[in-house]
Amino acid sequence: MKITGVETKIVNAIHRNWIFVKVLTDQPGLYGWGEATLEWKTRAVVGAVEDLAAFVIGEDPRRIEHLVRKMQMHSFWPLGVIGLSAISGIEMALHDIAAKDLGVPVWRLLGGQSRDWVRVYTHFQRGKIGAQVDPKDIESYVAGVEATVAMGYRAVKLGVVPYTHYDAPIPEVKHVARLVERIRLAVGDEIDIMFDFHGRCSSISAAVAYIDAISPMRPLFVEEPIQPGDNEAMALVASKVQAPLATGERLFTPREFFDLAAHKAVSIVQPDLCHVGGFTMGKKIAAIAEIGHMGVAPHNPLGPISGAAALHFAVATPNFVIQEEARGLVDWYDEVVQHPIVLENGHWAVPTSPGLGVELDEVAAAKHPFEPEVIPAREALSADGAILNW
């Protein structure tokens, strides 16, 4: 079996363009799908996929580890998140092909079934664009959280920390404390709540102030309280607070996660299969996390093929904790791709179809062609107009 071509299909999703990767083979009807979505870098990733295709065309698609190493090592230059996202899309498609060839779901290639269902969380109002509510409006925000839980979810992640800088103003901290207390009272103790700081705090002291305000409500984790990359600083934050910390959506290589594990900086790591190199590197990162006493909660606010990949990864990963999803992001999430994700009692069911179980409806996809993304990060300004972390 040989690879004959690598194609990209772009579907606009307002704040991002989904980048779907199709790997073709010389076997009639046998091809694979992957996803390489990277917010606000669409054309760069598509170009990287085109460049990397030269490394895999003519090769056996079932030699997955071999081809991943070829794309990485023969590229000479460190690839960074753009190149690794391109590899991820191709790599997922190779797993899709290999599993279809054997007539088994992808999770069987990843070590087999580790669990009977997959714990999942969503965002406020399932992440639906246009349904956001200002956290300053406590009544409306709490109502939105209750509505999200009523959709059938047992866990929700929220962004309640304001755009901040090196300090944590007392009124802002007190407001966050009041808001999260009301949320916990509204949903009860049976619903898991996570809080995403998005790395907005520019100092350890600011991060600690907001985490201390949230900790009494027993969050499952606090995500990215400071910018990623400084693991010594993250460990220092962890030593000063009571809530479990999580990070990893903006880390990309096993070496970065190894350093995170060595510092015992967080309880949860959040690799994104669309950015780290697909399943091949995702499994290595999960193994590093397990040795470092860390669970895995993969980052996944992207498209439906990414969601399918995350599902298979979760099924097969022993130290998996909970899976992010954003199926409500845009109305056409469930229209452009047939996918195996089934929500039952707040969990995802284990898929049984061969491969990833996904198929792009190219007619439906064509209704949402590439457009320049709406970039919400432009909102991240202080009162005096200084640029802040989004």
Side-chain angles (χ1 to χ4, degrees):
M1 188 191 306
K2 302 295 182 184
I3 297 171
T4 58
V6 179
E7 302 175 352
T8 54
K9 309 289 182 181
I10 311 302
V11 175
N12 180 257
I14 303 178
H15 285 317
R16 53 182 58 79
N17 285 291
W18 295 330
I19 306 171
F20 300 137
V21 179
K22 187 177 187 180
V23 175
L24 308 171
T25 77
D26 59 2
Q27 305 297 305
L30 182 58
Y31 50 83
W33 287 106
E35 184 168 341
T37 301
L38 180 63
E39 293 91 332
W40 321 326
K41 304 292 186 294
T42 303
R43 286 163 286 203
V45 174
V46 169
V49 171
E50 293 172 356
D51 289 338
L52 290 168
F55 293 106
V56 301
I57 291 175
E59 295 274 9
D60 185 339
R62 297 165 295 189
R63 298 186 66 186
I64 300 173
E65 181 88 33
H66 171 77
L67 293 180
V68 169
R69 288 175 67 82
K70 185 178 182 183
M71 287 186 284
Q72 286 185 311
M73 299 171 75
H74 286 184
S75 291
F76 183 68
W77 298 106
L79 292 173
V81 66
I82 291 171
L84 286 172
S85 297
I87 285 180
S88 300
I90 295 171
E91 192 271 0
M92 286 180 198
L94 298 180
H95 269 90
D96 193 26
I97 291 168
K100 287 176 179 174
D101 184 52
L102 295 172
V104 299
V106 162
W107 53 257
R108 288 203 180 275
L109 305 185
L110 305 178
Q113 186 174 347
S114 289
R115 54 188 36 83
D116 296 329
W117 42 264
V118 172
R119 188 180 180 194
V120 65
Y121 72 86
T122 193
H123 297 253
F124 184 91
Q125 298 282 38
R126 298 180 79 200
K128 184 175 177 63
I129 294 171
Q132 295 86 356
V133 172
D134 190 339
K136 291 187 181 301
D137 183 346
I138 291 180
E139 297 300 325
S140 296
Y141 197 88
V142 171
V145 175
E146 291 178 304
T148 305
V149 171
M151 296 174 190
Y153 293 92
R154 308 295 299 167
V156 61
K157 187 168 76 178
L158 306 169
V160 299
V161 172
Y163 295 125
T164 189
H165 204 29
Y166 290 86
D167 61 335
I170 292 173
E172 299 281 13
V173 174
K174 288 186 172 181
H175 175 82
V176 168
R178 289 194 299 271
L179 174 59
V180 300
E181 183 178 15
R182 286 288 308 280
I183 291 168
R184 176 56 77 194
L185 183 64
V187 302
D189 292 341
E190 299 302 315
I191 302 299
D192 285 315
I193 308 173
M194 294 135 280
F195 295 98
D196 188 355
F197 281 35
H198 242 227
R200 289 180 176 177
C201 299
S202 295
S203 70
I204 290 170
S205 60
V208 169
Y210 282 111
I211 296 171
D212 283 348
I214 287 169
S215 293
M217 298 305 107
R218 302 296 295 273
L220 183 62
F221 59 74
V222 170
E223 179 177 333
E224 277 196 342
I226 59 174
Q227 285 288 307
D230 186 342
N231 296 323
E232 189 172 344
M234 188 71 78
L236 184 57
V237 174
S239 73
K240 292 176 176 290
V241 300
Q242 297 300 309
L245 304 185
T247 195
E249 70 180 61
R250 288 187 277 178
L251 303 177
F252 313 114
T253 67
R255 187 176 299 278
E256 289 173 290
F257 284 91
F258 176 80
D259 187 64
L260 191 65
H263 279 85
K264 302 292 190 291
V266 297
S267 300
I268 303 288
V269 295
Q270 301 171 292
D272 190 316
L273 296 178
C274 285
H275 304 323
V276 300
F279 299 111
T280 300
M281 294 303 172
K283 291 292 288 184
K284 295 177 181 179
I285 290 165
I288 291 168
E290 187 173 17
I291 293 169
H293 307 288
M294 300 185 297
V296 179
H299 181 248
N300 173 46
L302 306 178
I305 296 179
S306 171
L311 169 57
H312 286 268
F313 182 77
V315 169
T317 301
N319 57 327
F320 165 83
V321 177
I322 194 167
Q323 178 59 59
E324 178 178 18
E325 68 130 77
R327 285 181 66 186
L329 185 70
V330 290
D331 293 337
W332 50 94
Y333 186 103
D334 292 318
E335 296 175 10
V336 299
V337 171
Q338 299 170 10
H339 55 75
I341 296 175
V342 178
L343 185 70
E344 297 176 346
N345 300 317
H347 307 124
W348 282 350
V350 175
T352 57
S353 300
L356 289 174
V358 296
E359 184 62 44
L360 182 69
D361 183 333
E362 298 193 33
V363 174
K367 297 177 182 178
H368 308 283
F370 169 85
E371 292 184 26
E373 303 94 326
V374 175
I375 303 177
R378 291 172 176 153
E379 303 164 3
L381 300 171
S382 67
D384 62 4
I387 299 292
L388 302 177
N389 287 312
W390 175 57

